[in-house]
């Protein structure tokens, strides 16, 4: 199966080009998304957990003098991201409503985003790791600017400026990683750089500066406080499939990058900046959480909620132990599913009512019982109730961080203080999510909403897939941790 990664990465690109030349847009997109989902499940079933490491690898030389190769492969961590991408892509395309203008171009953008995410998560080369992510950003701008809502063009430019700035800073950091290898052994290969790190050949003189560039670059892409303001507005203005893909999948690129390249190659630099990261992630959890409570629209509330929960993943990354990092990786997977489900259901509310304002809604569960039940389940998952993947992963993050001794330049007991603050964040998230559910689905219903239609039976399967996977991750987290933890322990050994 060494060729299958090339298929799932390049097939969406080929399908997008075929659509532009006249292939049926929706049918082609659903077929490709379904095929990629089946292949991802096959990889999940056939990955050799005993041997671990990168599997299903393939490599094509591009520039021999630079050791630049088009190399793909997956380990347990990237396998989880590939599975997440395939599930959310299928659900997003399946739930896409009738597009009134430029339908082929709309589906083309969705496929390019999916291809970019899959390419970034499977790339074993820094150049293509970066390039595939950039491939996904261009259609993001187009989808908001052309098919978005509200002040879509201004918001499209805002997200472009923010993400372009983050990408430039990240590029500087990645160039720094390339240059810390000895002359004559410099390579873009991620496994090659890891081997050099194991042998102690990397020049770590400027490691702290390089890691800071990586942290800020990835942080802007993730919406790390205070670089978060682009995200809520972007998600609120996005078409539903884009909000699902970006919040559920593409935002995880930065987190994946920290776990894949920054921490394994520069572990001591990560410890050096741990105190700074703790301060910023508390901003995500507390400041953004309080801002979420103040939102008056469902779409903005979900956007701020997504930003807030990035703080918990950052906490797991900052603690840098096996439990916290495994929990952070599992939370990336679980959060991607839950936020995709919430944006999907919110999109149906918008489609039916034409509004996202809490004061104009209410009582919708009386006429849309499946929508109300599904949103309630997804909301419970998002706030971390037992039985869902979010709970299992957040518990691991909190326990792992609490037992961490202060590292680097952290203040004494700084991790314990951060965990206590994060626990207050759990209360905050319960407040805003349950208030939103009450405002939209409970209480008296206005007469104008009495004839609303519930989600069509054929559309429900996408929501069921997202929620069912979340439930499996909640009741059987070890099923996924068996893939994640060995890889985490491997790069912790480099410390």
């Amino acid at each position: 199966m060494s060729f299958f990664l090339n298929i799932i990465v390049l097939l969406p690109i080929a399908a997008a080009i075929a659509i532009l030349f006249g292939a049926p847009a929706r049918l082609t997109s659903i077929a490709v998304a379904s095929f990629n989902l089946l292949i991802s499940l096959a990889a999940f079933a056939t990955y050799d957990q005993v041997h671990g490491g990168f599997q299903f690898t393939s490599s094509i030389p591009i520039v021999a003098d630079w050791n630049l190769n088009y190399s793909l492969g997956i380990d347990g961590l990237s396998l989880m991201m590939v599975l997440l991408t395939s599930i959310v892509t299928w659900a997003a395309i399946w739930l896409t409503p009738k597009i009134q203008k430029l339908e082929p171009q709309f589906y083309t953008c969705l496929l390019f985003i999916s291809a970019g995410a899959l390419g970034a998560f499977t790339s074993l080369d820094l150049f293509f790791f970066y390039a595939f992510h950039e491939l996904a950003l261009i259609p993001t701008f187009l989808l908001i600017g052309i098919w978005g809502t509200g002040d879509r063009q201004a918001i499209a430019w805002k997200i472009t400026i923010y993400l372009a700035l983050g990408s430039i800073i990240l590029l500087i950091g990645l160039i720094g990683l390339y240059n810390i290898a000895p002359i004559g052994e410099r390579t873009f290969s991620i496994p090659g750089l890891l081997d050099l790190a194991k042998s102690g050949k990397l020049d770590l003189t400027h490691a702290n500066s390089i890691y800071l560039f990586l942290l800020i670059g990835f942080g802007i892409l993730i919406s790390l406080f205070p670089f978060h303001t682009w995200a809520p507005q972007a998600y609120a203005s996005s078409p539903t499939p884009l909000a699902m893909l970006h919040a559920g999948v593409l935002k995880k690129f930065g987190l994946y990058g920290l776990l894949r390249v920054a921490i394994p190659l520069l572990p001591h630099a990560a410890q050096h900046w741990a105190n700074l990261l703790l301060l910023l992630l508390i901003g995500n959890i507390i400041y953004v959480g309080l801002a979420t409570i103040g939102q008056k629209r469902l779409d903005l509330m979900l956007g701020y909620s997504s930003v807030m929960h990035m703080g918990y993943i950052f906490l797991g990354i900052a603690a840098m132990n096996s439990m916290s990092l495994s929990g952070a990786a599992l939370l990336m997977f679980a959060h991607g599913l839950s936020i995709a489900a919430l944006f999907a259901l919110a999109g149906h509310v918008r489609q039916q009512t034409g509004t996202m304002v809490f004061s104009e809604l209410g009582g919708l569960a009386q006429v849309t019982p499946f929508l109300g039940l599904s949103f309630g389940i997804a909301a419970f998952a998002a706030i971390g109730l037992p039985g869902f993947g979010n709970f299992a992963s957040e518990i691991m993050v909190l326990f792992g961080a609490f037992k961490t001794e202060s590292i680097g330049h952290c203040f004494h007991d700084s991790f314990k203080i951060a965990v206590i603050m994060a626990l207050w964040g759990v209360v905050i998230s319960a407040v805003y999510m349950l208030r939103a559910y009450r405002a939209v689905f409970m209480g008296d219903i206005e007469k104008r909403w009495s004839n609303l239609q519930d989600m069509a039976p054929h559309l429900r399967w996408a929501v069921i897939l997202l929620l069912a996977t979340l439930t499996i991750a909640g009741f059987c987290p070890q099923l996924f941790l068996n893939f994640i933890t060995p890889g985490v322990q491997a790069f912790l050994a480099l410390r």
Side-chain angles (χ1 to χ4, degrees):
M1 291 181 66
S2 61
F3 63 90
F4 93 95
L5 292 180
N6 288 288
I7 294 177
I8 66 171
V9 172
L10 298 178
L11 184 60
I13 297 175
I17 295 172
I19 289 172
L20 292 178
F21 280 93
R26 180 170 176 80
L27 180 61
T28 302
S29 299
I30 290 176
V32 169
S34 300
F35 180 82
N36 273 4
L37 178 57
L38 291 175
I39 293 294
S40 299
L41 291 172
F44 185 82
T46 58
Y47 182 87
D48 187 349
Q49 297 183 40
V50 175
H51 291 88
F54 292 108
Q55 299 179 23
F56 314 124
T57 57
S58 63
S59 182
I60 301 173
I62 303 298
V63 183
D65 292 342
W66 294 356
N67 286 323
L68 175 62
N69 304 288
Y70 174 68
S71 299
L72 302 180
I74 54 173
D75 64 356
L77 174 61
S78 47
L79 177 58
M80 290 298 98
M81 294 297 99
V82 168
L83 184 60
L84 171 66
T85 304
S86 299
I87 292 173
V88 175
T89 297
W90 185 86
I93 291 175
W94 188 262
L95 290 169
T96 299
K98 177 65 178 177
I99 305 301
Q100 301 299 324
K101 61 180 181 180
L102 303 174
E103 183 183 56
Q105 288 78 4
F106 185 92
Y107 281 100
T108 294
C109 288
L110 292 182
L111 290 173
F112 271 116
I113 291 174
S114 180
L118 288 167
F121 292 140
T122 58
S123 288
L124 298 182
D125 186 278
L126 286 178
F127 176 84
F128 287 98
F129 168 77
Y130 180 84
F132 272 115
H133 178 257
E134 298 306 297
L135 175 68
L137 292 185
I138 298 173
T140 298
F141 167 78
L142 295 175
L143 282 167
I144 295 177
I146 299 174
W147 293 276
T149 59
D151 193 8
R152 62 182 189 275
Q153 294 185 354
I155 293 172
W157 281 111
K158 180 177 182 178
I159 185 177
T160 301
I161 292 171
Y162 263 91
L163 297 184
L165 177 62
S167 294
I168 292 171
I169 295 173
L170 172 60
L171 181 60
I172 296 172
L174 294 177
I175 293 172
L177 284 181
Y178 175 81
N179 286 325
I180 64 176
I183 296 176
E185 297 185 62
R186 289 179 177 172
T187 178
F188 288 96
S189 169
I190 295 174
L193 288 169
L194 290 173
D195 288 339
L196 291 173
K198 289 179 184 178
S199 61
K201 293 183 177 181
L202 298 181
D203 179 6
L204 301 180
T205 305
H206 303 291
N208 290 343
S209 299
I210 294 171
Y211 183 85
L212 184 60
F213 276 105
L214 294 173
L215 178 62
I216 295 176
F218 282 130
I220 293 174
L221 301 179
I222 303 164
S223 62
L224 174 64
F225 177 87
F227 313 109
H228 65 284
T229 57
W230 63 267
Q233 293 178 332
Y235 298 149
S237 298
S238 296
T240 298
L242 173 60
M244 294 173 65
L245 277 169
H246 202 289
V249 175
L250 202 56
K251 186 187 283 189
K252 307 303 183 292
F253 166 80
L255 298 164
Y256 175 80
L258 289 172
L259 292 172
R260 172 60 67 217
V261 297
I263 291 177
L265 295 175
L266 306 172
H268 297 293
Q271 293 177 347
H272 177 84
W273 294 109
N275 191 45
L276 172 63
L277 182 55
L278 283 177
L279 290 174
L280 298 183
L281 69 87
I282 289 173
N284 273 83
I285 295 173
I286 301 300
Y287 177 84
V288 178
L290 293 174
T292 310
I293 292 179
Q295 299 309 307
K296 307 298 183 183
R297 295 172 54 92
L298 180 59
D299 49 4
L300 279 173
M301 188 278 293
L302 292 178
Y304 276 96
S305 169
S306 177
V307 173
M308 176 200 176
H309 280 90
M310 294 301 99
Y312 291 95
I313 305 176
F314 276 118
L315 178 59
I317 292 173
M320 285 184 64
N321 59 59
S322 180
M323 180 181 289
S324 70
L325 289 171
S326 297
L330 183 60
L331 185 53
M332 289 163 59
F333 182 76
H335 176 269
L337 296 170
S338 60
I339 197 64
L342 287 167
F343 272 119
L345 296 165
H348 188 76
V349 172
R350 188 204 301 271
Q351 185 181 357
Q352 291 290 307
T353 65
T355 182
M356 291 273 96
V357 180
F358 289 141
S359 61
E360 298 177 6
L361 299 168
L364 299 190
Q366 299 177 34
V367 291
T368 58
F370 176 83
L371 188 65
L373 175 63
S374 300
F375 195 97
I377 294 172
F380 289 157
I383 62 179
L385 260 66
F388 300 101
N390 307 64
F391 171 79
S393 51
E394 286 180 10
I395 283 292
M396 292 182 67
V397 166
L398 294 173
F399 280 14
F402 193 80
K403 73 175 186 178
T404 299
E405 299 295 333
S406 295
I407 57 178
H409 294 272
C410 285
F411 300 119
H412 182 63
D413 289 335
S414 55
F415 279 94
K416 292 181 174 61
I417 295 171
V419 169
I420 293 170
M421 300 291 283
L423 288 172
W424 279 107
V426 174
V427 177
I428 291 172
S429 63
V431 170
Y432 66 65
M433 195 64 74
L434 295 178
R435 286 178 61 187
Y437 185 81
R438 181 184 64 182
V440 176
F441 294 101
M442 307 302 291
D444 297 328
I445 185 171
E446 293 189 24
K447 187 175 181 179
R448 57 176 171 162
W449 308 136
S450 59
N451 294 321
L452 292 183
Q453 294 183 355
D454 205 353
M455 184 170 282
H458 72 281
L459 296 178
R460 298 179 185 182
W461 290 108
V463 177
I464 291 172
L465 174 63
L466 295 169
L467 298 182
T469 310
L470 263 178
T471 306
I472 293 171
F475 280 94
C476 307
Q478 199 62 42
L479 177 66
F480 302 95
L481 292 172
N482 286 339
F483 293 91
I484 295 170
T485 303
V488 167
Q489 292 173 341
F491 69 69
L492 281 177
L494 297 175
R495 294 172 58 178

